[in-house]
Amino acid sequence: MHYFEYKNGQLFAEDISVEELVKEFDTPVYIYSARTFRRHFEAFDSAFAGIDHLTCYSVKANSNLCVLKMLSEMGSGMDIVSGGELFRVLKAGVDPQKIVYSGVGKKDHEIREAILSDILMFNVESRQELEKINQVAAEMDSTARISLRINPDVDPKTHPYISTGLKKNKFGLDLEQAMDSYMLAKQLSNIEPVGIDCHIGSQLTSIDPFIEALDRIMKFQSKLTDLGIDIRYLDLGGGLGITYDEEQPPHPVEFGQAIKEKLKGTDLTLILEPGRVIAGNSGILVTRVLYTKKTPSKNFIIVDAAMNDLVRPSLYGSFHRIACVHEKNGPDCVADIVGPICETGDFLAQDRKIREVGQNELLAVFSAGAYGFTMSSQYNSRPRGAEVIVDGTKFTLARRREVYFDLLDLEEQCF
Ligand SMILES: *Cc1c(COP(=O)(O)O)cnc(C)c1O
């Protein structure tokens, strides 16, 4: 459910027409719906009502400060994966006791910053990382709360690049290694093991892999209890999928029910790290048609957004629904919708059925609120587009469009 709807043949973001926003902010532009963000967060978080839980929004899905502030004000915690994300969430006013820090490659200074901020816990992904955190905490005369990230070897049945809980993936520790590392954690002077964590992948459209992972983790957790390691937090990660095309992912309520059923009778606090399911359908990318061209083998619609703005189609072969901002009758065509970048991999859609469009028409790329702007770059020296947030009848610029000087800002006059 989202608030990007057609009224009288015109696409609206909540109460504001997309055309009006484009007049103000030009293209390409990311448009976010505040009401959709809030609705998604509510739907997800309330699905776990009745048990101790903390929803930690996964910042990498969409890390715009306005988005982080809005979610933080609703009580959301944050799952971060870098020092930069820690910096962002602190700027957004997030309570450090609601921050968990994941990721396989934390650097010394990032660990120090997180300890200094007194975050809730680190999700630790290797034995060496555990030793490093202990060392940094000791130097600071402090103690770090940690979970170990378990790799439960469960197939999430999603794109290989976003599967993370398989044996062959770089993430987490297998059960045997995790046991050794917990024993070590227990002995380390500046480490307090408080939780157990996993994150098996992204864009999951079935509950089964989550339950399989949860079963394995809970079994493991009871072994830890027997060994005198007292776990208070169970972090199930993120990964719940969304509808891009015709996927039918479980509703958060159904997801919540299944998890709550399993946790009944334990005194664990559940942590969840949803990203895509909150942000994905809360944003669109609007682009303008520059040219159309017919070649002997294909039709191309060349638009002013490219893989540097939205890389998911190029990187994962992902499907994003694309539609005209102005609905009108006309013949359909089948075309590749491509950007200006000098790469054959630069496309937003391939062999897509769409109404025949003319120059200057506006197209909306849906489901672009997660892993859209955050994965953008300046490749081909293209300044990044603007991000705008709409809330009812109000709208505000959430990040200004970059200008040419932004391209050179950090570079030196050499020699
Ligand atoms: C990316 C990530 C998430 C969020 O995944 P979604 O599929 O967007 O919900 C959660 N936890 C960790 C550790 C991640 O890396």
Side-chain angles (χ1 to χ4, degrees):
M1 218 348 259
H2 58 73
Y3 294 99
F4 297 100
E5 286 167 336
Y6 287 88
K7 296 176 195 171
N8 298 320
Q10 283 239 45
L11 182 61
F12 273 67
E14 302 192 17
D15 300 330
I16 312 277
S17 90
V18 166
E19 183 172 27
E20 184 184 336
L21 294 168
V22 167
K23 276 196 184 122
E24 182 91 17
F25 300 107
D26 207 354
T27 54
V29 61
Y30 275 96
I31 300 175
Y32 306 135
S33 155
R35 212 186 273 168
T36 311
F37 263 104
R38 288 196 291 261
R39 183 191 172 113
H40 287 172
F41 179 79
E42 268 301 321
F44 189 91
D45 190 58
S46 64
F48 296 91
I51 60 167
D52 281 338
H53 74 283
L54 177 61
T55 301
C56 292
Y57 167 70
S58 175
V59 173
K60 74 180 192 286
N62 184 324
S63 57
N64 185 282
L65 266 187
C66 295
V67 168
L68 300 179
K69 270 189 190 151
M70 179 168 55
L71 293 172
S72 172
E73 279 164 13
M74 295 184 76
S76 182
M78 299 284 160
D79 169 45
I80 59 169
V81 292
S82 71
E85 287 191 349
L86 175 62
F87 178 71
R88 277 184 180 276
V89 299
L90 294 176
K91 284 282 181 212
V94 175
D95 175 1
Q97 283 300 302
K98 290 184 176 179
I99 299 173
V100 298
Y101 186 176
S102 309
V104 292
K106 303 175 186 80
K107 297 187 64 155
D108 287 30
H109 75 86
E110 295 177 308
I111 293 167
R112 211 174 303 121
E113 289 151 15
I115 293 174
L116 206 58
S117 310
D118 196 26
I119 65 164
L120 180 59
M121 75 184 80
F122 291 88
N123 289 334
V124 177
E125 307 219 13
S126 65
R127 188 181 173 100
Q128 285 185 1
E129 182 193 335
L130 183 64
E131 287 164 341
K132 174 64 80 179
I133 293 174
N134 181 59
Q135 179 203 327
V136 174
E139 284 161 13
M140 297 171 71
D141 208 9
S142 183
T143 304
R145 287 173 294 273
I146 64 107
S147 284
L148 291 179
R149 177 166 172 179
I150 309 292
N151 182 330
D153 194 23
V154 166
D155 186 355
K157 301 198 168 60
T158 183
H159 190 282
Y161 289 6
I162 49 176
S163 293
T164 55
L166 285 167
K167 225 178 214 155
K168 63 182 177 190
N169 298 141
K170 71 178 175 182
F171 298 98
L173 293 153
D174 71 40
L175 293 173
E176 206 169 309
Q177 291 177 330
M179 187 55 80
D180 291 344
S181 290
Y182 270 111
M183 297 315 283
L184 174 65
K186 197 180 163 196
Q187 284 155 18
L188 291 173
S189 53
N190 297 73
I191 291 286
E192 186 190 353
V194 295
I196 186 163
D197 167 53
C198 74
H199 168 72
I200 56 174
S202 197
Q203 185 53 14
L204 273 71
T205 51
S206 155
I207 289 179
D208 300 346
F210 288 109
I211 297 300
E212 214 177 311
L214 184 56
D215 280 340
R216 290 186 191 183
I217 286 200
M218 287 182 72
K219 203 166 137 203
F220 185 79
Q221 185 255 329
S222 72
K223 272 193 217 162
L224 291 178
T225 309
D226 296 343
L227 293 167
I229 298 173
D230 183 28
I231 295 299
R232 307 201 296 273
Y233 297 94
L234 190 155
D235 185 339
L236 197 56
L240 193 59
I242 63 169
T243 302
Y244 285 99
D245 185 8
E246 290 179 337
E247 304 93 331
Q248 293 186 313
H251 189 276
V253 168
E254 195 188 331
F255 179 63
Q257 283 298 346
I259 307 294
K260 285 199 280 195
E261 189 62 31
K262 288 276 166 193
L263 288 176
K264 231 172 21 196
T266 71
D267 51 9
L268 293 164
T269 296
L270 177 65
I271 296 179
L272 299 140
E273 303 171 349
R276 191 186 310 270
V277 71
I278 308 287
N281 280 317
S282 302
I284 61 173
L285 171 63
V286 179
T287 181
R288 194 180 283 282
V289 176
L290 299 174
Y291 307 104
T292 62
K293 103 172 165 182
K294 287 188 199 313
T295 70
S297 56
K298 268 193 186 239
N299 296 319
F300 291 98
I301 299 171
I302 302 160
V303 299
D304 69 356
M307 65 189 288
N308 74 299
D309 301 295
L310 179 68
V311 77
R312 299 190 66 260
S314 306
L315 185 61
Y316 313 121
S318 305
F319 180 98
H320 283 265
R321 189 161 74 85
I322 300 180
C324 299
V325 167
H326 300 279
E327 279 182 328
K328 60 181 186 199
N329 291 328
D332 285 338
C333 68
V334 173
D336 281 15
I337 301 171
V338 302
I341 284 183
C342 304
E343 298 266 352
T344 299
D346 176 30
F347 54 84
L348 300 177
Q350 289 180 303
D351 300 317
R352 184 65 60 84
K353 192 172 146 197
I354 186 166
R355 168 170 65 71
E356 271 186 18
V357 292
Q359 275 179 287
N360 295 318
E361 271 201 62
L362 297 173
L363 298 181
V365 183
F366 288 87
S367 313
Y371 307 106
F373 189 88
T374 51
M375 294 178 93
S376 68
S377 76
Q378 295 175 332
Y379 185 40
N380 276 212
S381 287
R382 289 167 48 85
R384 288 184 184 82
E387 292 177 285
V388 175
I389 296 202
V390 176
D391 192 355
T393 56
K394 290 184 296 202
F395 60 84
T396 184
L397 184 62
R399 188 181 199 271
R400 71 160 169 80
R401 179 176 303 286
E402 290 179 359
V403 296
Y404 290 151
F405 274 106
D406 293 316
L407 300 176
L408 304 184
D409 209 26
L410 306 175
E411 291 175 35
E412 307 291 340
Q413 298 279 341
C414 301
F415 311 112

